[in-house]
Structures are given as C-alpha cells and as structure tokens.
Amino acid sequence: MSWPVLVAAVLVLAAGTFAFRIAGPLVRERMSVSVSPDVERLVAIGAVVLLAALVATSALLDDGGPAGVARPAGVAVGGLLAWRRVPFVLIVVAAAGVAAGLRLLGVP
C-alpha cells in the first residue's frame, strides 16, 4: 500500500469515527421521541456486555484456537487490578509483566 493511500485511509477512518461519535448526541437532541429509562439502562448494560465479549475473545482466542495460558493470565491480573482501582499505568505494566514472565518460563 502506498503512503498517500495509507494516509487517505487513516483520514477517512478518523472522519468516519468522529461522525459516528458526534451523530449520537446530535440525533438525540433533534428527536422528539423519548426513550424510557429501562431502554437506556438496557443500552448501557449492552455496551458493557459487548466490551466484556471483546475482552474475552481477544484474551482467550488466537487465530481461531486457544491463546494459551499467559495472555489470559495477564488479562486476569489486569482485570483484578482495574477492579481494585489501581492506576492505569500499573495495570498495563503488571498485566504485560505477568504475560511476559509466564512466556519467559515457557508457559504458552
């Protein structure tokens, strides 16, 4: 892929992402339809479920097969530290350290 095509692709993706992000608040302000609090709660829960599914598939699968033990262990340590509200930098360093340490010991 040539350099101008790559830059153009990045700019188009950035503009599309911005458009999607700004469309929600703008459309909601113009709509006269009110959404019930139950629907708003379900949408919020749905976002959390989607993120959890993304984390699970990214941590547990690699090229359609199991990802081994090191990556899920690192993600688990990161999740545990995030739950304990540890600063983000420490979470990333600890999760990467656990995964790297396990791989250094030969754990897949």
Side-chain angles (χ1 to χ4, degrees):
M1 181 177 290
S2 67
W3 178 253
V5 172
L6 182 63
V7 170
V10 168
L11 291 176
V12 168
L13 286 174
T17 301
F18 181 76
F20 271 113
R21 294 199 52 123
I22 197 70
L26 291 177
V27 169
R28 185 174 181 153
E29 289 176 0
R30 293 183 180 192
M31 290 178 59
S32 61
V33 177
S34 64
V35 178
S36 71
D38 291 338
V39 172
E40 288 185 5
R41 188 174 53 88
L42 285 175
V43 169
I45 292 171
V48 172
V49 169
L50 284 174
L51 286 173
L54 177 65
V55 168
T57 56
S58 297
L60 299 175
L61 297 176
D62 187 24
D63 290 334
V69 176
R71 188 189 309 170
V75 171
V77 168
L80 179 66
L81 293 177
W83 175 55
R84 302 301 303 164
R85 298 186 186 265
V86 173
F88 183 71
V89 172
L90 295 177
I91 293 171
V92 172
V93 169
V98 166
L102 288 173
R103 288 183 178 146
L104 185 64
L105 295 173
V107 177

